[in-house]
mmCIF file of all heavy atoms in Angstrom:
data_model
loop_
_atom_site.group_PDB
_atom_site.id
_atom_site.type_symbol
_atom_site.label_atom_id
_atom_site.label_comp_id
_atom_site.label_asym_id
_atom_site.label_seq_id
_atom_site.Cartn_x
_atom_site.Cartn_y
_atom_site.Cartn_z
ATOM 1 N N ASP A 283 -82.669 38.075 19.902
ATOM 2 C CA ASP A 283 -83.089 39.487 19.721
ATOM 3 C C ASP A 283 -81.911 40.414 19.696
ATOM 4 O O ASP A 283 -82.068 41.633 19.784
ATOM 5 C CB ASP A 283 -84.044 39.893 20.888
ATOM 6 C CG ASP A 283 -83.414 39.770 22.246
ATOM 7 O OD1 ASP A 283 -82.416 39.006 22.372
ATOM 8 O OD2 ASP A 283 -83.937 40.409 23.185
ATOM 9 N N VAL A 284 -80.717 39.888 19.537
ATOM 10 C CA VAL A 284 -79.511 40.683 19.332
ATOM 11 C C VAL A 284 -78.811 40.197 18.085
ATOM 12 O O VAL A 284 -79.102 39.109 17.558
ATOM 13 C CB VAL A 284 -78.553 40.564 20.559
ATOM 14 C CG1 VAL A 284 -79.239 41.067 21.810
ATOM 15 C CG2 VAL A 284 -78.039 39.139 20.774
ATOM 16 N N GLY A 285 -77.859 40.985 17.621
ATOM 17 C CA GLY A 285 -77.086 40.607 16.436
ATOM 18 C C GLY A 285 -75.660 40.300 16.825
ATOM 19 O O GLY A 285 -75.350 39.560 17.702
ATOM 20 N N THR A 286 -74.736 40.949 16.105
ATOM 21 C CA THR A 286 -73.312 40.802 16.397
ATOM 22 C C THR A 286 -72.728 42.146 16.659
ATOM 23 O O THR A 286 -73.244 43.148 16.062
ATOM 24 C CB THR A 286 -72.589 40.093 15.215
ATOM 25 O OG1 THR A 286 -71.219 39.937 15.510
ATOM 26 C CG2 THR A 286 -72.725 40.859 13.923
ATOM 27 N N PRO A 287 -71.779 42.335 17.544
ATOM 28 C CA PRO A 287 -70.916 41.291 18.115
ATOM 29 C C PRO A 287 -71.491 40.534 19.316
ATOM 30 O O PRO A 287 -72.257 41.121 20.075
ATOM 31 C CB PRO A 287 -69.695 42.105 18.591
ATOM 32 C CG PRO A 287 -70.309 43.453 18.959
ATOM 33 C CD PRO A 287 -71.357 43.667 17.942
ATOM 34 N N VAL A 288 -71.116 39.303 19.414
ATOM 35 C CA VAL A 288 -71.413 38.450 20.575
ATOM 36 C C VAL A 288 -70.112 37.954 21.124
ATOM 37 O O VAL A 288 -69.195 37.541 20.356
ATOM 38 C CB VAL A 288 -72.364 37.277 20.182
ATOM 39 C CG1 VAL A 288 -72.334 36.224 21.315
ATOM 40 C CG2 VAL A 288 -73.771 37.809 19.992
ATOM 41 N N ILE A 289 -69.979 38.043 22.436
ATOM 42 C CA ILE A 289 -68.773 37.635 23.124
ATOM 43 C C ILE A 289 -69.089 36.624 24.212
ATOM 44 O O ILE A 289 -70.041 36.764 24.954
ATOM 45 C CB ILE A 289 -68.054 38.879 23.743
ATOM 46 C CG1 ILE A 289 -67.533 39.799 22.622
ATOM 47 C CG2 ILE A 289 -66.910 38.444 24.658
ATOM 48 C CD1 ILE A 289 -66.977 41.104 23.166
ATOM 49 N N HIS A 290 -68.243 35.584 24.282
ATOM 50 C CA HIS A 290 -68.277 34.623 25.399
ATOM 51 C C HIS A 290 -66.976 34.793 26.137
ATOM 52 O O HIS A 290 -65.885 34.603 25.587
ATOM 53 C CB HIS A 290 -68.392 33.212 24.908
ATOM 54 C CG HIS A 290 -69.679 32.879 24.179
ATOM 55 N ND1 HIS A 290 -70.052 31.569 23.896
ATOM 56 C CD2 HIS A 290 -70.699 33.672 23.723
ATOM 57 C CE1 HIS A 290 -71.230 31.598 23.257
ATOM 58 N NE2 HIS A 290 -71.614 32.863 23.148
ATOM 59 N N ALA A 291 -67.075 35.249 27.393
ATOM 60 C CA ALA A 291 -65.893 35.567 28.174
ATOM 61 C C ALA A 291 -65.826 34.684 29.427
ATOM 62 O O ALA A 291 -66.815 34.142 29.868
ATOM 63 C CB ALA A 291 -65.945 37.038 28.595
ATOM 64 N N PRO A 292 -64.597 34.577 30.032
ATOM 65 C CA PRO A 292 -64.487 33.810 31.265
ATOM 66 C C PRO A 292 -65.354 34.422 32.341
ATOM 67 O O PRO A 292 -65.397 35.673 32.545
ATOM 68 C CB PRO A 292 -63.025 33.943 31.638
ATOM 69 C CG PRO A 292 -62.323 34.260 30.335
ATOM 70 C CD PRO A 292 -63.316 35.044 29.573
ATOM 71 N N GLY A 293 -66.107 33.587 33.096
ATOM 72 C CA GLY A 293 -66.959 34.043 34.199
ATOM 73 C C GLY A 293 -66.176 34.240 35.446
ATOM 74 O O GLY A 293 -64.993 33.970 35.543
ATOM 75 N N PRO A 294 -66.893 34.662 36.534
ATOM 76 C CA PRO A 294 -66.207 34.887 37.810
ATOM 77 C C PRO A 294 -65.756 33.636 38.523
ATOM 78 O O PRO A 294 -64.910 33.709 39.389
ATOM 79 C CB PRO A 294 -67.323 35.603 38.624
ATOM 80 C CG PRO A 294 -68.605 35.186 38.009
ATOM 81 C CD PRO A 294 -68.325 35.022 36.542
ATOM 82 N N GLN A 295 -66.299 32.483 38.129
ATOM 83 C CA GLN A 295 -65.883 31.230 38.766
ATOM 84 C C GLN A 295 -65.145 30.348 37.733
ATOM 85 O O GLN A 295 -65.417 30.441 36.526
ATOM 86 C CB GLN A 295 -67.097 30.496 39.320
ATOM 87 C CG GLN A 295 -67.837 31.282 40.416
ATOM 88 C CD GLN A 295 -69.052 30.544 40.949
ATOM 89 O OE1 GLN A 295 -69.284 29.393 40.569
ATOM 90 N NE2 GLN A 295 -69.787 31.177 41.843
ATOM 91 N N GLU A 296 -64.312 29.491 38.204
ATOM 92 C CA GLU A 296 -63.527 28.585 37.366
ATOM 93 C C GLU A 296 -64.457 27.770 36.462
ATOM 94 O O GLU A 296 -65.426 27.132 36.946
ATOM 95 C CB GLU A 296 -62.704 27.674 38.229
ATOM 96 C CG GLU A 296 -61.768 26.736 37.470
ATOM 97 C CD GLU A 296 -60.578 27.489 36.859
ATOM 98 O OE1 GLU A 296 -60.231 28.567 37.383
ATOM 99 O OE2 GLU A 296 -60.025 26.963 35.863
ATOM 100 N N GLY A 297 -64.162 27.808 35.143
ATOM 101 C CA GLY A 297 -64.928 27.003 34.221
ATOM 102 C C GLY A 297 -66.236 27.648 33.788
ATOM 103 O O GLY A 297 -66.965 27.065 32.951
ATOM 104 N N GLN A 298 -66.566 28.800 34.305
ATOM 105 C CA GLN A 298 -67.808 29.487 33.973
ATOM 106 C C GLN A 298 -67.580 30.401 32.775
ATOM 107 O O GLN A 298 -66.532 31.024 32.628
ATOM 108 C CB GLN A 298 -68.329 30.277 35.160
ATOM 109 C CG GLN A 298 -69.688 30.919 34.962
ATOM 110 C CD GLN A 298 -70.138 31.702 36.206
ATOM 111 O OE1 GLN A 298 -69.313 32.270 36.887
ATOM 112 N NE2 GLN A 298 -71.433 31.698 36.453
ATOM 113 N N THR A 299 -68.595 30.530 31.953
ATOM 114 C CA THR A 299 -68.556 31.434 30.797
ATOM 115 C C THR A 299 -69.720 32.418 30.891
ATOM 116 O O THR A 299 -70.857 32.040 31.221
ATOM 117 C CB THR A 299 -68.636 30.663 29.487
ATOM 118 O OG1 THR A 299 -67.537 29.797 29.388
ATOM 119 C CG2 THR A 299 -68.615 31.625 28.272
ATOM 120 N N VAL A 300 -69.468 33.700 30.567
ATOM 121 C CA VAL A 300 -70.491 34.707 30.525
ATOM 122 C C VAL A 300 -70.594 35.133 29.060
ATOM 123 O O VAL A 300 -69.607 35.483 28.397
ATOM 124 C CB VAL A 300 -70.115 35.930 31.401
ATOM 125 C CG1 VAL A 300 -71.130 37.023 31.253
ATOM 126 C CG2 VAL A 300 -69.935 35.490 32.848
ATOM 127 N N ALA A 301 -71.820 35.128 28.541
ATOM 128 C CA ALA A 301 -72.060 35.504 27.159
ATOM 129 C C ALA A 301 -72.879 36.794 27.085
ATOM 130 O O ALA A 301 -73.776 37.014 27.881
ATOM 131 C CB ALA A 301 -72.820 34.385 26.418
ATOM 132 N N PHE A 302 -72.501 37.701 26.161
ATOM 133 C CA PHE A 302 -73.249 38.941 26.054
ATOM 134 C C PHE A 302 -73.108 39.533 24.644
ATOM 135 O O PHE A 302 -72.209 39.110 23.891
ATOM 136 C CB PHE A 302 -72.737 39.960 27.084
ATOM 137 C CG PHE A 302 -71.278 40.221 27.113
ATOM 138 C CD1 PHE A 302 -70.690 41.154 26.290
ATOM 139 C CD2 PHE A 302 -70.424 39.483 27.936
ATOM 140 C CE1 PHE A 302 -69.318 41.386 26.264
ATOM 141 C CE2 PHE A 302 -69.065 39.730 27.957
ATOM 142 C CZ PHE A 302 -68.507 40.687 27.098
ATOM 143 N N PHE A 303 -74.021 40.399 24.334
ATOM 144 C CA PHE A 303 -73.953 41.173 23.099
ATOM 145 C C PHE A 303 -73.190 42.457 23.363
ATOM 146 O O PHE A 303 -73.405 43.124 24.352
ATOM 147 C CB PHE A 303 -75.388 41.515 22.627
ATOM 148 C CG PHE A 303 -75.424 42.595 21.535
ATOM 149 C CD1 PHE A 303 -75.033 42.318 20.253
ATOM 150 C CD2 PHE A 303 -75.850 43.868 21.843
ATOM 151 C CE1 PHE A 303 -75.075 43.323 19.267
ATOM 152 C CE2 PHE A 303 -75.900 44.863 20.891
ATOM 153 C CZ PHE A 303 -75.520 44.593 19.595
ATOM 154 N N GLY A 304 -72.304 42.828 22.420
ATOM 155 C CA GLY A 304 -71.591 44.074 22.546
ATOM 156 C C GLY A 304 -70.165 43.840 23.097
ATOM 157 O O GLY A 304 -69.693 42.665 23.093
ATOM 158 N N PRO A 305 -69.506 44.872 23.569
ATOM 159 C CA PRO A 305 -69.997 46.260 23.557
ATOM 160 C C PRO A 305 -69.946 46.878 22.167
ATOM 161 O O PRO A 305 -69.144 46.509 21.374
ATOM 162 C CB PRO A 305 -69.006 46.961 24.492
ATOM 163 C CG PRO A 305 -67.728 46.179 24.314
ATOM 164 C CD PRO A 305 -68.136 44.757 24.146
ATOM 165 N N VAL A 306 -70.924 47.785 21.974
ATOM 166 C CA VAL A 306 -70.962 48.562 20.753
ATOM 167 C C VAL A 306 -70.227 49.884 21.063
ATOM 168 O O VAL A 306 -70.654 50.639 21.918
ATOM 169 C CB VAL A 306 -72.373 48.845 20.338
ATOM 170 C CG1 VAL A 306 -72.449 49.791 19.126
ATOM 171 C CG2 VAL A 306 -73.100 47.559 20.016
ATOM 172 N N VAL A 307 -69.113 50.118 20.399
ATOM 173 C CA VAL A 307 -68.258 51.270 20.738
ATOM 174 C C VAL A 307 -67.609 51.829 19.515
ATOM 175 O O VAL A 307 -67.299 51.125 18.578
ATOM 176 C CB VAL A 307 -67.175 50.820 21.769
ATOM 177 C CG1 VAL A 307 -66.289 49.758 21.221
ATOM 178 C CG2 VAL A 307 -66.362 52.013 22.251
ATOM 179 N N THR A 308 -67.498 53.162 19.468
ATOM 180 C CA THR A 308 -66.806 53.821 18.368
ATOM 181 C C THR A 308 -66.254 55.155 18.835
ATOM 182 O O THR A 308 -66.911 55.855 19.558
ATOM 183 C CB THR A 308 -67.757 54.052 17.174
ATOM 184 O OG1 THR A 308 -67.008 54.512 16.038
ATOM 185 C CG2 THR A 308 -68.874 55.014 17.458
ATOM 186 N N PRO A 309 -65.027 55.460 18.488
ATOM 187 C CA PRO A 309 -64.040 54.559 17.830
ATOM 188 C C PRO A 309 -63.522 53.495 18.796
ATOM 189 O O PRO A 309 -63.819 53.590 20.005
ATOM 190 C CB PRO A 309 -62.919 55.532 17.419
ATOM 191 C CG PRO A 309 -62.985 56.624 18.477
ATOM 192 C CD PRO A 309 -64.433 56.798 18.774
ATOM 193 N N ALA A 310 -62.798 52.546 18.296
ATOM 194 C CA ALA A 310 -62.282 51.455 19.115
ATOM 195 C C ALA A 310 -61.223 52.002 20.084
ATOM 196 O O ALA A 310 -60.248 52.592 19.638
ATOM 197 C CB ALA A 310 -61.703 50.326 18.261
ATOM 198 N N PRO A 311 -61.391 51.848 21.405
ATOM 199 C CA PRO A 311 -60.349 52.323 22.323
ATOM 200 C C PRO A 311 -59.028 51.646 22.098
ATOM 201 O O PRO A 311 -58.957 50.489 21.687
ATOM 202 C CB PRO A 311 -60.937 51.935 23.707
ATOM 203 C CG PRO A 311 -62.414 51.744 23.477
ATOM 204 C CD PRO A 311 -62.516 51.211 22.107
ATOM 205 N N LYS A 312 -57.973 52.394 22.389
ATOM 206 C CA LYS A 312 -56.605 51.893 22.192
ATOM 207 C C LYS A 312 -55.903 51.785 23.543
ATOM 208 O O LYS A 312 -56.225 52.452 24.496
ATOM 209 C CB LYS A 312 -55.806 52.831 21.295
ATOM 210 C CG LYS A 312 -56.451 53.138 19.954
ATOM 211 C CD LYS A 312 -56.381 51.913 19.042
ATOM 212 C CE LYS A 312 -56.666 52.295 17.589
ATOM 213 N NZ LYS A 312 -58.018 52.843 17.365
#
């Protein structure tokens, strides 16, 4: 039920991955 962007990031524990949609942001922070 989501599109892109999708991100898989390191989770809070070793070897864990957290997946989420977004962030949707404009303009891109520098």
